[in-house]
Amino acid sequence: MVKPFVPQLVYVEPRALDYPLGRKLARRFQDMGIEIRETTSHNQIRNFPGENHFQRYRLAKSTLVIGVRKTLKFDTSKPSAEYAIPFATGCMGHCHYCYLQTTMGSKPYIRTYVNVEEILDAAEAYMRERAPEITRFEASCTSDIVGIDHLTHTLKHAIEYFGQSTYGRLRFVTKFAHVDHLLDARHNGKSRFRFSVNDDYVIKFFEPGTSRLDERIEAAVKVAEAGYPLGFIVAPIYLHEGWKAGYREMFEKLEATLPAHARKDLTFEFIQHRFTKPAKRVIQKNYPMTKLELNESRRMWKWGRYGIGKYVYKTEEQEEIKDTLKRYLKTYFPEARLDYFT
Ligand code: SF4
């Protein structure tokens, strides 16, 4: 069982201490006896102690930087939402395939932003622009926000903020089961709480440092009982020997556990495994023993965002994945909605 995250090392940017949350967090980590260092900017954090790359990388992944979000211009976040809302970056999990390998390969530490009110004000402006259309904000584009929220309560604050909003909705996804502090948040049904799930093979070999499937499902039941709209992201859908049986078992487990009322407003998102060349380099450096299949010749090349091409499954394999998972969804959760398959 993965314990709730506690950083091994904390950096504080001086400007963060201008905010009540920055001061509170710094004090809290000091009281916990965690080493705290000052840094003028997270960009200055380069040399993590350690005898080799693996030790340095592991320490970086358990380092938390308390900082201030400077740019308040939000990225778009298709297909799951209109905008990405930036509360944190980085993650303490060690999923081999993680998308952060591409976007944050050289900065694997976690940053949490303490100017939460400014970030929410910026969200308000985006909502006003689109009103009376609903604007959805995705809080998990650059981190597993739930996994660090027991320390910061930033997400909890945002859930309550959107709970009061007329035109805003919040969405986030996690592989961690540490959700207890979020159960009493006044969400008013405006935040969709999603869990990232996969079959046993993928979780066992590629998702070290995250909660196991049974723990995630147990947490999903708690979240459903707290009245949150619930969702599951099956990602990355990965082909391996026995994948059809593996994904069927996953659906069976979900079906056997979820309370009836949660199925009425339940969403699924399906995302196939893909990788980029830069990500492959980082993955092979950080997890050289990985079993993850990253052979370009077995994939199909596709244009990606920012001009970086990605390697996806070949057309026939994609069709087979789509047919199989859609069939499972229809069998086990006929009332659920599939938001997208990509
Ligand atoms: Fe990446 Fe999510 Fe795994 Fe964290 S839990 S390492 S964000 S895939």
Side-chain angles (χ1 to χ4, degrees), residues 61 90-95 97-100 143-144 175-176 210:
K61 285 282 254 176
C91 178
M92 58 283 162
H94 278 276
C95 305
Y97 55 73
C98 178
Y99 56 102
L100 300 177
S143 72
D144 190 308
K175 286 189 173 74
F176 291 89
T210 65

Side-chain angles (χ1 to χ4, degrees), residues 78-80 97 99 138 173 194 196-198 232-239 247 268-274 310 312-313 321 325 338 340-342:
K78 293 283 175 202
S80 94
Y97 55 73
Y99 56 102
E138 172 67 66
V173 58
R194 292 122 84 219
S196 166
V197 289
N198 221 308
F232 292 101
I233 303 193
V234 187
I237 302 166
Y238 179 79
L239 295 184
Y247 285 102
F268 277 81
E269 293 149 81
F270 291 161
I271 306 175
Q272 303 168 81
H273 180 246
R274 72 274 317 270
K310 54 191 172 184
V312 298
Y313 286 118
I321 294 173
L325 271 87
L338 178 63
Y340 58 85
F341 174 97
T342 178

